[in-house]
Amino acid sequence: MPFATFSDFFPLPPTLPLLHYSQTSQQKTPKTLLSLFSASMADKPQMAAITLGGKASSLSSTSVFLISNKLSQVRIDSSIFERLSSSSNSNVVSPSIKYQIEYPKFLTFEEIRASATILLSKLLLSASPIRIEIPNLICKTLNSESTSLVFESIDVTEEEKCVLDACLSVSVLDGICALLDYGASCLSPVSEMVAALSCEASKANVSAFNLVDSGDGKCVKDEASVASDLKVLLNGSKLTGKVEVDAVSSIPKVYGSLRASARAVHSIARAELNSVTKGNVGGTGEAWESVLMSLESVLRNLGESSLSRADLSVSSIVSDGLQSSLKSLIDEKCPTKQNLRDAYMIASKAACEKDYVKLVHNVNELFGLVMTAVSWEMITAIASLEGSDLLDKNEVAANGENAKVDKKKDKKKKVFGKGTLVVLELVRERLQNVIEDGADVHANLQKLADNLCSLLDPKVPAFGNFIEKIKEIVESNESRRLPKIPKGTRDFAKEQMTVREKAFSIITDVFKRHGAMALDTPVFELRETLMGKYGEDSKLIYDLADQGGELCSLRYDLTVPFARHVAMNSLTSFKRYQIAKVYRRDNPSKGRYREFYQCDFDIAGQFEKMGPDFEVVKILTELLDELNIGEYEVKLNHRKLLDGMLDICGVPPEKFRTICSSIDKMDKQSFELVKKEMVEEKGLLEETADMIGNFVKEKGSPLELLLKLKQEGSDFLKHEGAALALDELELLFKLLEKSKCVDKIVFDLSLARGLDYYTGVIFEAVFKGTTQVGSIAAGGRYDNLIGMFGSKQVPSVGGSLGIERVFAIMEQNQKDQNQIVRANETQVLVGVVSRPGKSVEDDLILAVELVNELWLAKIKAEYVTVKKVFKIFERAESSGIPFAVMVGVRDLKEGIVKLRDVKAKTEEEIPGDKMVEVLLKRLETSS
C-alpha cells in the first residue's frame, strides 16, 4: 500500500468552475414567502448557488470561501420558510428594536462576507423563533453587487436581538476559521510542489526525504507522507543531491506539521460550522485557540523556510541582470521574515488577551503573508530554472547562433523530476503569450511574477486547476513511489544490526552456559497444530492461503512448535533454545510488531521439583542483567494458585480460562474496567468479581507475601490445589534467594498469563524505565502441552524474551546517552592513490594484491582506489576504521607503504613486506 498523500488527510478544494453543492429541497413553500426570497435573487447573472438551511445540507469551508469571494451566490432552502413562518406567526411580540448588523472595522471584505455567511447559517439552524425577514436581509445583502457589505437596519424583537447578538461574534470566529481551513488545505499541496521546484533550483541534497513509515510509531506519519510525495515529484531529477541545505532537510518536519495542523483545523471547522450557537463566544474561542496557536506557529515556520529557499534560488541565478531585477522586485513586493515574525507576535498577543476575534483575523493576515511568500518562492525557483529561456530572449538576438548553441547545451544538462517537469511545462504554456520578445528583462520578469502570483491565487479558476494538476501528478506517479514494507514490520539498518548481533551473541552465550542446544522449526505450521493453544489470542494467528490441500498458519510463538517437535520425535528430555521470528495479526504500535523475534529457552523432561522452573527464571534475570537495559522486575505467580483462588471465589471451572484472560489485563486497566468485563461480558456475579478483586490486588516481596498467604486459617491452605502451589512457590523462592536474584522478583496474584497451556509457575518481566514498551519477557510451566499432540505427557517449562521491545529500550538508551554505534568491524582500510600512466584496472589489481595479504592473515580489511589521498582518510574516519594503509607513486617505487593511525592522526612509513607483521602487533596492542 503506498504512502498516504495530502488528499488522504483533508479534502482538496474543488476546481472552481466545477462546484458541487447540496440539492435544494423540493418541498412546496407558500408563494408569499418565496416571493420575499426571490427578490434577493432577481436580476443576478447565472452563477452556481450554495443552499443553506436544508435538512440534509451542511456548510463547508469551501462553500464559505466561495461565497465570501463572490464566486458563488447563496440561497435559502425552501423547506426553511415554512418553519420560520410558523415561528413568526406564533410570536405575538411585535418587533420594536432597531438593529444593525455590524462587524469590526479591522476585518477585511472577505472576512466580513465569510462571517455573514456563517451568521445566516446559524440563524437558520437556531431553535429560537426568527422572522424570515432577518435571514432574507442577510441573503439579499450577500448576493448584492456592492463592493462593501453594509446591512440595512431592521426592526427586531428582544428575543431576536439576543439570538443575533449570540450568533454575531461566533460567526466572525467560525467564518474566518473556515477561510483558514480552506486556505490550509490549499497551501499544503501547493507549498510542497513549490518546495520541490526550489530543491532543483538550489541543487539541494534531498536525502532527508528518505523517510519510511513502518506503522510502529518510529516515524511521524505526516513527515513520512510529505517526504514520500516530494520524492514522487522529484523522481528522476538530475539537479538535486549536491548541496546541503537546512531549509530543504527540514521540509518533512515543517510541512508535515502543516498537514497535522490543517487536519486539526478542519476537524473543528466541520463541527463548528454546522453547530447551533449556544451564546457562549468564549467557549467557541477557546475551542479554536489551541489549534490556531499551533497553526500560526506552523505558518511562520513554513513562511520563513519558504523565504530561505527563495534566497537560495536567487543566488543560483547566473545572469547578473536577471538576478538584480529579481532582487529589486522581491524587495518591493515580497514579505520578509521579520514581517512574518511581527504578524506572529501580533496574533500571539491577541491570544494572550483572549481577544479571539482579533486572533482569528491576525492568523488570517499571517496566512496571507505566507501564501505570498510561497508565491515568491515559486517565482524565484522558476526564474532560476527557466529564467534564461523565458526572459533573456534579447540575449540570443544580440549574440547570435553561439548563444543559441550554448543555451541548447545548457538545456540538455537539466533533467527535471517527473512531477516538477509537468509543472514547468504548465508554466511555460501560461507564459508563452505573456513574455514579449524585445522587452527588457525587468519588464518580462514583472509579467512572470504577476502571472505566477495569479496562478497561486485561490480566488481565480486557474488555481483550482493547478491544485487538480498537482493531485493528478502525485496520484499518477504512484508507481514511482519507493516501495513500502507492511505495517508492523521493520528493516534493520547497519547500525541496528550491529546492536542486534551483539545482543543475540549475549543471549546465545547465556543459553549455552546453561547447557541448552539449538533448535529451528518451520516458520509456518499446520493450522491444527496452533489452534486451541492460545485462548482468546488465537484470533491473532496469521492464516495462509490453502496450498496443496493443507491449511497452514504462521507460527504465533516458538513454544507450540517446540512441543510439536518433542512429541513428533518421541523425545523425553530436551533443553533447547531458539531465536527466530514469530507473527501476530495484531494492531502495530510503538514496541508492538506483527513480525518480531523471540528468544526462547525451554526445559522438557522429568527433573527435580521446581529445579527447571528456578533455572528458567534465573536465566531470564541473567539475560536482562547482561543486556544492561536498566531497572526491571519479574512478576511471578502460579496457575494452580489462580485456579484455587477462582474456585474459592465461586467461579465455575469452565470459566477459569476466560476469567484469567480478564485478570491478565490488570497491568493495563483498572480493576473496575476488568470487573465490568467479567460481569457484563462473561456473566460473572458482581459479588464473585469483588471477591476476586480482594485477592488479585495482593502483590509484594515473594517470601513476605507467601508467609501472609500461608497464615493459619487462610482459604488457600484449605484448597488442595492452592496449597500445593504455595508449597512449590516456597521452594522456588528459596532457590531464587540462594541464587541471589530473588530481589528482582515480585509475587503478584494479578498475573494470569492468558495462554491456555500454562499449568504451573507463570512469570512476566516488566521494564521500569521511562521507555514504555510493556512486558519484555514471559513464560511458565506447561506440563500438558506436548501431550496435546497425541503423545505421552512430557512436563516442560520455558521462557521467552521479547527481544524487539528490549531493542527499543537499547536504542532509546543509546539516543539518550549520545552513543555512536559502529556498523562494521573493519580493522584496516587499504587505499591506492591513482598513479600517472596507470589505468584504473592497474590500481585495482594493486589494491587487491595488498588487501589479500591482510585477509590471509585473518585481518578484517577493505580496499579503495582514489584520486586524492584525503579520500582515504575521510572513508576511514566516517566508518570508524582504526588504521589505514596508503600506497602512492613514490611509495611503490621505494617498496614502502604508509600506515596511518586514524584516531591519533599520525603516520609512519613501513616496508611493504613487513606490513602484515606490523599491523598484527598494532591491532593486538590497540585491542
Side-chain angles (χ1 to χ4, degrees), residues 238-351:
K238 299 297 184 182
L239 298 176
T240 60
K242 300 174 180 65
V243 183
E244 291 292 338
V245 179
D246 290 341
V248 169
S249 60
S250 63
I251 286 174
K253 183 176 291 294
V254 173
Y255 287 67
S257 297
L258 175 62
R259 288 191 179 191
S261 187
R263 199 162 55 248
V265 171
H266 180 69
S267 178
I268 297 182
R270 187 170 52 184
E272 289 292 328
L273 294 190
N274 297 287
S275 64
V276 178
T277 301
K278 298 291 194 296
N280 183 8
V281 67
T284 303
E286 288 169 0
W288 280 115
E289 182 180 3
S290 59
V291 294
L292 288 179
M293 291 295 287
S294 172
L295 179 62
E296 68 163 331
S297 178
V298 169
L299 287 174
R300 187 197 68 180
N301 292 337
L302 190 147
E304 292 185 6
S305 174
S306 188
L307 291 176
S308 295
R309 289 189 298 275
D311 288 341
L312 291 170
S313 294
V314 173
S315 300
S316 67
I317 296 174
V318 295
S319 169
D320 293 339
L322 178 58
Q323 188 181 82
S324 175
S325 294
L326 188 55
K327 284 181 177 179
S328 175
L329 282 175
I330 289 173
D331 291 341
E332 180 184 348
K333 298 187 176 183
C334 181
T336 65
K337 291 182 180 180
Q338 190 59 51
N339 295 146
L340 296 173
R341 291 166 190 163
D342 290 343
Y344 172 81
M345 292 302 298
I346 293 171
S348 299
K349 181 182 178 183

Side-chain angles (χ1 to χ4, degrees), residues 8 215 255 362 396 464 493 531 577 649 685 788 791 801 810 885 919:
D8 295 316
Y255 287 67
N362 292 332
V396 176
M531 295 308 294
Y577 77 89
C649 293
L685 295 174
M788 293 175 71
S791 176
L801 181 68
M810 295 173 72
V885 170
L919 276 170

Side-chain angles (χ1 to χ4, degrees), residues 638-791:
H638 198 295
R639 203 59 179 264
K640 286 188 174 68
L641 186 63
L642 267 172
D643 289 349
M645 176 189 74
L646 297 179
D647 195 18
I648 291 167
C649 293
V651 177
E654 65 272 14
K655 290 190 175 182
F656 279 9
R657 294 287 77 84
T658 186
I659 296 302
C660 278
S661 178
S662 296
I663 294 171
D664 197 39
K665 297 175 182 177
M666 283 190 61
D667 61 335
K668 303 179 185 70
Q669 300 178 1
S670 67
F671 178 72
E672 290 304 316
L673 289 175
V674 172
K675 174 184 173 181
K676 184 177 180 181
E677 179 181 303
M678 291 191 293
V679 173
E680 296 181 5
E681 297 180 23
K682 300 185 177 179
L684 215 58
L685 295 174
E686 189 167 344
E687 52 268 28
T688 301
D690 288 333
M691 288 182 65
I692 294 173
N694 293 332
F695 282 119
V696 297
K697 292 174 184 176
E698 294 282 0
K699 64 184 294 186
S701 171
L703 293 172
E704 291 178 8
L705 182 53
L706 182 72
L707 184 63
K708 178 181 177 181
L709 297 180
K710 295 188 73 171
Q711 286 178 346
E712 187 176 349
S714 168
D715 289 332
F716 287 122
L717 295 180
K718 300 173 186 177
H719 191 281
E720 182 180 355
L724 176 63
L726 290 176
D727 289 340
E728 291 184 349
L729 287 173
E730 184 174 15
L731 176 57
L732 174 63
F733 293 154
K734 287 179 180 178
L735 294 173
L736 292 171
E737 185 179 35
K738 289 298 182 183
S739 66
K740 297 181 172 47
C741 65
V742 76
D743 60 316
K744 301 287 188 181
I745 311 300
V746 175
F747 188 7
D748 188 345
L749 292 188
S750 72
L751 180 67
R753 298 297 299 155
L755 300 180
D756 280 359
Y757 53 66
Y758 287 126
T759 59
V761 170
I762 51 177
F763 53 85
E764 182 174 276
V766 178
F767 180 59
K768 297 174 69 176
T770 55
T771 305
Q772 300 298 313
V773 294
S775 65
I776 52 176
R781 175 163 285 279
Y782 50 99
D783 288 344
N784 302 326
L785 179 60
I786 295 174
M788 293 175 71
F789 293 103
S791 176

Side-chain angles (χ1 to χ4, degrees), residues 41 50 64 175 191 252 280 319 388 471 534 613 686 771 776:
M41 298 295 295
I50 294 172
V64 174
S191 58
N280 183 8
S319 169
S388 298
K471 182 179 178 181
Y534 304 107
D613 307 73
E686 189 167 344
T771 305
I776 52 176

Side-chain angles (χ1 to χ4, degrees), residues 149-161:
L149 204 66
V150 179
F151 295 91
E152 299 173 1
S153 62
I154 189 171
D155 292 330
V156 299
T157 65
E158 185 66 40
E159 187 174 7
E160 288 172 337
K161 179 181 182 301

